Amino acid sequence: MAPRPDVPHGRALLADALRNKGVAFTREERQRHGLVGMLPPGVLSLDQQARRAWEQLQAQPDDLAKNVCLEQLHDRNEVLYHRLLTEHLKELLPIVYDPTVGEAIKRYSHEYRRPRGVYLSVDHPQDVRPAFEALGLGPDDVDLVVATDAQQILGIGDWGVGGMQISVGKLAVYTAAAGIHPGRAVPVMLDVGTDNQALLNDPLYVGNRHSRARGKEYDAFVAAYVDTVRDLFPRALLHWEDFGPGNGRRLLDAYGEKVCTFNDDMQGTGAITLSCVLNAARVSGTPMREQRVVVFGAGTAGVGIADQLRDAMVRDGLERDEAVARIWCLDRQGLLLRSTEGLRDYQRLYARPDEEWSDGSGKPKPIGLEEVVDRVRPTVLVGTSTVHGAFTEEVVRSMAAHVERPVVLPLSNPTEKIEAMPEDVLRWTDGRALVAAGVPLPPVELNGTSYVVAQANNALIYPGLGLGVIVSRASRITDGMFQAAAEALADLAELSGTGAPLLPQVENLRASSATVATAVARRAAGDGVARAPLDDVVQQVQDAMWQPEYA
C-alpha cells in the first residue's frame, strides 16, 4: 500500500513529533511508511508507552530534570507527551509550568536542544512575515497564538529569549486542560533584547545581545507581529503573556477592540481571583457590594484584579465610583495616592485622595500595608507583590479582628515570593480565614480540621476561555466573557464543609475547562461577538476538544 502523500516518509516521519508513534507503529504501518528496520520489532500500545514514560519520569532526580525529560518527549512524540500530561495533570502541571518552568527559563540557553515555535527579532522586523509563512499553515489552520516578550516572568523578571518556555508551557496546558489541538497553536518569542546583564554577558546566550528596545522601535515591531498574524491567520486568538507593566496594559488597550486578544496576567489573573472572591462571599455571607478590598502589588496583575472585582461590585448594585472607592491599591512604596509620583495610567483610577490620609501637616508620608489594613478593615486582602512575608502576623491579625471570615489571597509565585503561607494565615485566624494561594500547597491540618488550600492558578481559567473563544469564533473577548468564565468556575467548587477549597481542584481541570468554555461561548453569542452558529454549545465544545490518541 502506498504511503499517504501528506505524511512524511521514513526517518522524516520519525522526526515529525506530531505524527511520530515510535514503537506504536504497527507492522503494516512500518511497511507503508518506509520504517522497516528503523524501530525495534516489538509493537507497544499508547497506554504501554505512557506507562513507560511515566516510569522514566519518576526516575529523574529533581523537578528540573523532570521538566527536561518531558521536553525531550515533547520533541519526539507529541501525542504521547500530551497523553502523559493529561493523565497526570495534577502532578505534572507544576513541572511543565509554574514553578519549575522558572528554573527551565533561567537555564534555557544552557539546556537548549531544539527550537519550538516562532522566534521573532526586533533587529529584523522584515522577517516577521516570512517566519510565519515558513510554518506552512493556511488561514484556517491556526486557532491560537501565545506570545511573550519575557520582560516580567513569574516573579523572576527579565529572562530574554528563555521566555519562549513560557509560551510553550502555556500551550501545553491549553492542550492538556482544554484539548486545544497542538498542531493548531503557535508559541511565539518576541525577542526585543534583554536588560538582564547576566544574560548579556553569558557566552552561551542564544537571544539578542542588547538592551530592550523601547518606544517607536518596540511598537512598530509588535504592530508587525499583530498585523501579520491577523492577515495570515484571521481566526486566531492572540494571547499576551508576561509583558512588563509598561507594555502589558498599553498593548491590550491598543489591540483589544481590534483583534481577538487578551492578556492573561491581567485578565486571566483577575478572573481567577474573582472566582475566589465570589465563593468567599458565598461562604461569609458578605455580598460583593459590601466588600472592602486591599490589593498589595499594584502592577498589571494587581490592577487587573481590582478591575474585575470593581465590575463585580457594580453588577451587585454599586455605582462605578462607589465600587472604585471600596478598593485600595498599594505598591512596595505604599498606598497609591493622587500625589504619588510615577503613577501609570492604569493605576490612576485607584489612587486615593491625599486628604483621606493627610494628618494636616502637608504631603502625606508613605502609607504602608499595616496602616492601610488597620484603617480600612478590609474583607479581602490580595497579594500580587512578590514580597515574601508581606502579610505578617500583625497584618493578618489586624484584619481578622474586624472581619469574621477574612479573605486572604497571597497569590505571588513561586513559593519564595509568596506574601504569606496559608498555614500561618489559618493559624493566626484560628481557621476563620478563607485562603487561596498562587502555588500548589498541601492541606493544612489545624485543630482537627483539614483545610484544602485552593490554588488560584490561571490554568483553571484561560484554557476554557480560549476553547470557548475558538468554538464561538469570537471577533473579540468582552468583559462579559471573563465574567462568565469566573462565575462558571466558581459554581463548580464544592463549598460545603469546613476547610473546603474556594476553587475546584486541578485534577478535574479538563471537565472544568469544558464547563468554562461553554459559558464563554454562550456569553460571546449573547454579547454579539460570536461568528460561529452555536446550535448545541455543549456538544460543540466536546467535539472541539482534541484527544491525545494516535491517528
Side-chain angles (χ1 to χ4, degrees):
M1 184 179 295
R4 285 171 47 192
D6 61 332
V7 176
H9 193 67
R11 295 198 181 277
L13 178 55
L14 296 180
D16 186 330
L18 195 55
R19 291 187 172 98
N20 180 30
K21 301 181 185 181
V23 293
F25 280 115
T26 65
R27 175 70 177 168
E28 179 189 28
E29 288 172 328
R30 297 179 192 198
Q31 291 176 330
R32 183 190 312 161
H33 297 297
L35 299 175
V36 174
M38 294 185 184
L39 295 164
V43 177
L44 300 185
S45 68
L46 178 56
D47 287 339
Q48 289 172 315
Q49 287 179 302
R51 185 166 71 245
R52 180 179 60 194
W54 180 247
E55 290 177 359
Q56 291 170 343
L57 194 65
Q58 294 302 98
Q60 302 305 309
D62 54 44
D63 286 348
L64 182 58
K66 290 179 180 178
N67 177 278
V68 172
C69 182
L70 278 170
E71 283 306 299
Q72 290 172 334
L73 178 59
H74 199 180
D75 290 340
R76 295 193 309 272
N77 186 328
E78 288 210 34
V79 172
L80 177 55
Y81 168 82
H82 288 294
R83 167 62 73 91
L84 192 67
L85 188 56
T86 301
E87 289 183 347
H88 300 279
L89 190 55
K90 180 179 180 181
E91 299 94 336
L92 296 185
L93 188 60
I95 305 298
V96 300
Y97 199 61
D98 183 43
T100 308
V101 74
E103 291 304 310
I105 288 167
K106 292 177 182 179
R107 296 285 305 165
Y108 184 79
S109 290
H110 289 256
E111 298 286 348
Y112 181 82
R113 293 172 299 279
R114 177 177 174 177
R116 177 176 291 277
V118 175
Y119 298 80
L120 304 176
S121 170
V122 71
D123 300 338
H124 304 286
Q126 73 279 5
D127 291 344
V128 171
R129 189 179 185 93
F132 282 106
E133 289 176 336
L135 295 172
L137 299 172
D140 296 328
D141 294 338
V142 176
D143 292 325
L144 175 64
V145 181
V146 177
T148 185
D149 75 352
Q151 185 174 8
Q152 196 69 39
I153 297 176
L154 294 172
I156 65 174
D158 176 358
W159 282 89
V161 77
M164 175 56 94
Q165 286 296 103
I166 283 290
S167 296
V168 171
K170 281 283 183 179
L171 287 180
V173 179
Y174 266 115
T175 298
I180 305 299
H181 193 298
R184 300 181 60 85
V186 181
V188 174
M189 177 64 218
L190 299 171
D191 190 347
V192 297
T194 178
D195 292 336
N196 186 326
Q197 292 291 335
L199 293 181
L200 293 175
N201 290 285
D202 182 349
L204 297 183
Y205 181 58
V206 295
N208 282 328
R209 291 180 179 274
H210 57 70
S211 62
R212 284 188 166 267
R214 292 176 169 83
K216 292 182 179 179
E217 182 184 19
Y218 179 93
D219 289 345
F221 177 58
V222 172
Y225 156 69
V226 174
D227 291 345
T228 299
V229 172
R230 183 166 51 174
D231 184 39
L232 295 179
F233 313 120
R235 298 170 60 172
L237 163 63
L238 275 65
H239 172 140
W240 305 93
E241 185 68 27
D242 287 340
F243 284 74
N247 291 318
R249 173 72 68 133
R250 190 173 60 84
L251 292 175
L252 187 64
D253 290 343
Y255 295 109
E257 296 296 321
K258 299 177 182 178
V259 296
C260 186
T261 189
F262 78 105
N263 183 306
D264 186 50
D265 304 296
M266 294 164 47
Q267 295 162 298
T269 302
I272 193 69
T273 307
L274 174 58
S275 288
C276 287
V277 176
L278 288 173
N279 277 343
R282 292 169 180 168
V283 173
S284 68
T286 304
M288 288 301 301
R289 63 183 176 273
E290 295 180 10
Q291 301 290 343
R292 297 182 303 278
V293 180
V294 169
V295 179
F296 183 50
T300 52
V303 176
I305 290 169
D307 287 345
Q308 294 206 34
L309 295 182
R310 173 204 68 203
D311 292 346
M313 293 179 191
V314 171
R315 290 192 293 271
D316 201 33
L318 294 184
E319 295 296 325
R320 189 172 188 269
D321 289 346
E322 293 175 320
V324 170
R326 300 186 75 85
I327 300 174
W328 290 259
C329 291
L330 299 87
D331 59 16
R332 297 187 186 204
Q333 286 69 48
L335 182 67
L336 299 187
L337 300 172
R338 290 176 184 171
S339 63
T340 300
E341 296 180 1
L343 283 178
R344 298 187 183 276
D345 290 344
Y346 60 84
Q347 295 174 322
R348 295 186 187 281
L349 179 64
Y350 298 102
R352 310 296 298 194
D354 287 48
E355 55 268 24
E356 283 185 1
W357 296 84
S358 174
D359 59 5
S361 61
K363 186 176 179 180
K365 67 181 187 307
I367 301 158
L369 178 62
E370 189 169 348
E371 182 178 352
V372 171
V373 169
D374 187 55
R375 287 183 54 178
V376 169
R377 299 182 177 182
T379 57
V380 179
L381 178 60
V382 179
T384 55
S385 67
T386 69
V387 178
H388 181 72
F391 294 173
T392 63
E393 182 174 357
E394 292 74 18
V395 165
V396 174
R397 287 191 181 278
S398 173
M399 182 182 180
H402 306 289
V403 180
E404 178 61 27
R405 300 302 303 270
V407 183
V408 183
L409 307 175
L411 302 182
S412 290
N413 55 66
T415 306
E416 58 264 25
K417 303 284 187 179
I418 196 170
E419 286 81 7
M421 295 303 293
E423 180 179 4
D424 292 331
V425 172
L426 287 164
R427 182 163 47 81
W428 296 332
T429 61
D430 295 322
R432 290 187 290 121
L434 298 166
V435 189
V439 295
L441 294 168
V444 174
E445 305 297 330
L446 181 67
N447 299 329
T449 298
S450 180
Y451 295 84
V452 180
V453 180
Q455 185 187 1
N457 189 325
N458 289 18
L460 290 166
I461 284 284
Y462 72 79
L465 174 74
L467 180 59
V469 170
I470 291 168
V471 167
S472 66
R473 291 297 170 198
S475 58
R476 61 185 180 86
I477 304 179
T478 65
D479 291 341
M481 292 160 73
F482 285 104
Q483 173 197 345
E487 291 176 350
L489 182 66
D491 288 343
L492 291 171
E494 176 54 62
L495 301 177
S496 62
T498 304
L502 294 175
L503 296 171
Q505 296 299 287
V506 169
E507 54 259 41
N508 300 320
L509 191 48
R510 200 164 176 97
S512 62
S513 293
T515 300
V516 169
T518 301
V520 168
R522 284 175 173 156
R523 188 56 183 264
D527 288 347
V529 297
R531 293 176 290 187
L534 299 173
D535 304 316
D536 185 347
V537 181
V538 172
Q539 189 59 49
Q540 286 171 270
V541 166
Q542 291 300 316
D543 291 344
M545 296 178 76
W546 177 79
Q547 302 293 333
E549 301 284 351
Y550 288 136

